[in-house]
Amino acid sequence: NAGVTQTPKFQVLKTGQSMTLQCAQDMNHEYMSWYRQDPGMGLRLIHYSVGAGITDQGEVPNGYNVSRSTTEDFPLRLLSAAPSQTSVYFCASRYPGQNTEAFFGQGTRLTVV
Amino acid sequence: AQSVTQLGSHVSVSEGALVLLRCNYSSSVPPYLFWYVQYPNQGLQLLLKYTSAATLVKGINGFEAEFKKSETSFHLTKPSAHMSDAAEYFCAVRLPGGGSYIPTFGRGTSLIVHP
């Protein structure tokens, strides 16, 4: 049981490049979400999903896309990276009976130069 | 809409001293409240949660928090700090009930423990 797995752990991108941050969970959780963490800002929700085929925007969705084709995977796509997207990204999951994000991945530290 | 305010971006205590991390919330109805801990280079870990049952909530690692509606507070305490408690702590709030409500996180408080 691996929990929530994020890859890669570190990434450096050039402005304008695109990439996908991967998130997978093996707990059959319906709810998954993506957050970004910036110094002094706490965690801000980017996108979330309540099940396969269903996604919705969070607080800071601009510049990011998501899809949820399976219960296990919830990738986050950066369409055209900008320096403002330099951050640490966390994926989280929970099952419907839990009242909050219960399981977090270890994060992806992204730098856009 | 709901929000939380964590008072103090850094709190410094000596080992063995009381830990008090402050969190005040704003919500149109009594919310659900949570505390998380984040150790360096790791994801967040749920410490404890309040979901309208007992107002004094006990969590892992000896932490507890008390929901005070009159003060709109949910402060985190631990009687005796340990060096291993040094971490970042986040308070979070969400609307009550089921469904897909997503929590809103505070900006975090860094706990520093001196020997």
Side-chain angles (χ1 to χ4, degrees), chain A residues 3-4 27 29 91-95 98 100-105, chain B residues 44:
Chain A
V4 178
M27 298 169 283
H29 287 170
C91 180
S93 76
R94 61 185 168 111
Y95 57 80
Q98 293 174 308
T100 186
E101 318 296 35
F103 297 88
F104 280 82
Chain B
L44 276 68

Side-chain angles (χ1 to χ4, degrees), chain A residues 5-14 19-22 34-40 46 64 76 78 81-91 105-113, chain B residues 38-44 88 90:
Chain A
T5 303
Q6 289 184 236
T7 55
K9 287 187 168 51
F10 301 94
Q11 183 70 50
V12 178
L13 286 180
K14 294 183 179 179
M19 79 160 294
T20 299
L21 308 186
Q22 301 291 344
W34 275 103
Y35 291 85
R36 60 177 289 173
Q37 183 179 29
D38 302 293
I46 305 171
Y64 307 95
L76 178 72
L78 279 71
S84 61
Q85 293 179 303
T86 294
S87 186
V88 181
Y89 292 84
F90 288 100
C91 180
Q106 292 205 319
T108 296
R109 187 173 296 272
L110 176 69
T111 302
V112 182
V113 298
Chain B
Q38 183 182 32
Y39 299 103
N41 300 314
Q42 293 190 23
L44 276 68
E88 189 88 12
F90 293 92

Side-chain angles (χ1 to χ4, degrees), chain B residues 7 10-11 20-21 32 65 67 74 77 81 83 91 96-97 101 103 105:
Chain B
L7 300 176
H10 295 82
V11 169
L20 171 61
L21 304 181
Y32 290 171
F67 172 71
F74 190 58
T77 60
M83 296 295 291
C91 183
Y101 297 121
F105 288 83

